[in-house]
Amino acid sequence: MRPKVLYLTNVLASYRVPILNILAHDYDLTVAYSDGKLPNVDMEFHTHKLSTPKRFGPFLWNKDDISGLCDSFDVVIAVGEISRLKYSWQALRRHRRYRLIYWTIGVSASYTKRYDEVRRYDFIRDFFLKKADSCIFYSDYPVKKNLGRGYDKEHMFVANNTVVVAPTEDGAIKDSILFIGSLYRAKGLDVLLSQYAKAYAENANIPKLNIIGGGGEYDAIANWIDDNNLSEKVQLLGPIYDENVKSRYFARAYACISPNQAGLSVLESMGYGVPFVTMYNAYTGGERLNIVHMHNGVLMESADDLKDILLDIAFNSQKYIEMGHKAREYYNSYRTPQMMADGIKAAVDYCMSI
């Protein structure tokens, strides 16, 4: 019989489904989620809807019998967010019947604080993570950090964060720059627009800018485009969920730019063979660490660098095409969905062996 594995999470995001489908080939997998609805995609695993947790300050409490649910499985993988009290409680159970794994970024990260910037709560995170049978991290940074901090090296595994990309055809004509993601101020889209306007004032032939996404800043961005008479150069396309449609915009892009935030769009961009441009100290869950400056992407010291990068794309476009080739090589060699699933599988198999 295949091992019974439970994954406890908050949102079952569509981008996670392909990785979970791979795991479902090896395990009798159930995903228990508490927030939102099921994505409209094919799922090869069981699902279990939990109640929406109640918030008490920074903490979240599910009314469900999480412990009883976990007892029906051989291995439980839980989102390693200590604020989710019933998930954290599983580490404190003395006689649990299952092996426990926390799947976590492993350091502080948010849209308001830089990656591993806040360390005053590390001891709390350490307390719970060390009591699990294993930990899965989004990158190898937490593994390196935790060596010598009381963690057992054999208990730590890495499943490098990534996403599935649609098949693409080489040879598409490059003619644009791309921004993709939810439209909110923290990402620095206002910085990109202002620097684009400055670059356009110096060279009206810079590639057009395509913006894919929806969110609270949509109307403000639309007004900015009209106010600056850039409707022929900047296209606000709204959210696009069809991967085949998105892939065509990536195929035409010299670069994907997000000044202040570098999440899974870094891997998506690399998978499509497009270099990602962001700040060295961008908000990230660790995905920015995949970028090697001027090899498979660009890391800026200051937002003021962006105007020169936009002009450089216009004058030296072949350089960015070559960086895109390097980005795709990196994705194919180190960051495929199968590789991410293999990292999770290694942790599960380890737990089944101890």
Side-chain angles (χ1 to χ4, degrees):
M1 293 179 63
R2 295 185 301 165
K4 293 186 65 178
V5 177
L6 173 67
Y7 173 39
L8 289 171
T9 187
N10 48 353
V11 176
L12 177 50
S14 59
Y15 61 79
R16 281 284 183 252
V17 171
I19 285 85
L20 296 171
N21 281 343
I22 295 172
L23 294 174
H25 297 164
D26 294 297
Y27 310 115
D28 182 0
L29 177 65
T30 297
V31 178
Y33 66 100
S34 59
D35 304 337
K37 298 179 180 179
L38 286 175
N40 186 26
V41 294
D42 292 333
M43 290 175 283
E44 300 175 24
F45 47 86
H46 311 291
T47 60
H48 180 88
K49 182 68 169 72
L50 300 169
S51 62
T52 302
K54 292 186 177 180
R55 181 174 291 277
F56 299 94
F59 300 107
L60 296 165
W61 179 264
N62 295 83
K63 69 178 183 181
D64 310 81
D65 181 8
I66 299 296
S67 295
L69 176 64
C70 292
D71 284 338
S72 301
F73 292 85
D74 300 308
V75 177
V76 173
I77 305 171
V79 168
E81 297 176 5
I82 306 307
S83 60
R84 296 182 179 273
L85 296 177
K86 284 200 174 181
Y87 293 6
S88 300
W89 169 251
Q90 303 312 308
L92 304 181
R93 295 182 68 192
R94 285 190 173 185
H95 304 294
R96 61 175 181 263
R97 304 172 187 174
Y98 52 87
R99 298 299 186 185
L100 176 65
I101 301 171
Y102 283 124
W103 187 6
T104 174
I105 293 174
V107 300
S108 65
S110 72
Y111 293 129
T112 58
K113 299 293 183 183
R114 308 295 180 180
Y115 186 71
D116 200 23
E117 178 181 357
V118 179
R119 300 191 176 191
R120 62 180 177 272
Y121 302 119
D122 280 5
F123 75 99
I124 301 176
R125 185 183 301 110
D126 292 346
F127 174 79
F128 287 99
L129 296 187
K130 289 176 185 178
K131 289 184 178 297
D133 296 293
S134 178
C135 295
I136 303 169
F137 297 111
Y138 287 5
S139 72
D140 62 0
Y141 176 91
V143 175
K144 295 175 181 177
K145 175 181 175 178
N146 291 333
L147 290 175
R149 286 164 47 84
Y151 284 79
D152 189 331
K153 183 178 180 180
E154 292 185 352
H155 294 187
M156 294 189 289
F157 295 84
V158 176
N160 288 289
N161 222 9
T162 195
V163 293
V164 170
V165 296
T168 56
E169 294 184 7
D170 293 329
I173 297 175
K174 301 280 187 181
D175 63 359
S176 57
I177 297 159
L178 183 64
F179 173 95
I180 187 165
S182 302
L183 308 181
Y184 53 85
R185 186 168 294 274
K187 288 192 174 183
L189 185 52
D190 56 332
V191 174
L192 172 57
L193 291 171
S194 65
Q195 294 297 311
Y196 185 90
K198 292 177 182 179
Y200 176 74
E202 293 189 23
N203 181 2
N205 293 319
I206 63 172
K208 63 185 177 183
L209 171 62
N210 289 322
I211 301 172
I212 296 176
E217 295 295 307
Y218 186 93
D219 291 340
I221 294 166
N223 292 334
W224 184 94
I225 293 170
D226 289 340
D227 292 344
N228 288 271
N229 299 313
L230 285 171
S231 58
E232 293 186 3
K233 295 293 290 188
V234 181
Q235 293 189 40
L236 185 56
L237 301 168
I240 297 176
Y241 302 108
D242 188 319
E243 287 297 330
N244 293 316
V245 175
K246 278 201 296 183
S247 71
R248 291 197 286 271
Y249 283 101
F250 272 107
R252 292 164 48 191
Y254 289 110
C256 184
I257 302 177
S258 177
N260 292 342
Q261 201 264 346
L264 279 170
S265 53
V266 174
L267 283 308
E268 185 177 31
S269 186
M270 287 181 160
Y272 282 120
V274 179
F276 199 86
V277 180
T278 191
M279 297 285 290
Y280 270 103
N281 63 344
Y283 300 112
T284 184
E287 296 83 2
R288 185 203 61 75
L289 302 176
N290 294 286
I291 301 172
V292 179
H293 181 54
M294 300 308 295
H295 177 74
N296 59 13
V298 181
L299 297 171
M300 300 180 291
E301 294 280 1
S302 165
D304 294 336
D305 298 339
L306 189 49
K307 184 193 77 170
D308 292 335
I309 291 170
L310 292 167
L311 292 171
D312 191 44
I313 291 172
F315 287 118
N316 299 295
S317 58
Q318 187 60 35
K319 177 169 68 176
Y320 293 85
I321 292 173
E322 291 172 2
M323 276 195 280
H325 294 327
K326 297 293 186 186
R328 180 176 290 171
E329 289 174 7
Y330 178 87
Y331 175 92
N332 289 335
S333 297
Y334 304 108
R335 294 295 183 267
T336 65
Q338 181 65 57
M339 293 172 184
M340 184 177 184
D342 286 345
I344 300 167
K345 185 175 182 295
V348 174
D349 292 349
Y350 166 79
C351 284
M352 291 297 297
S353 71
I354 59 176

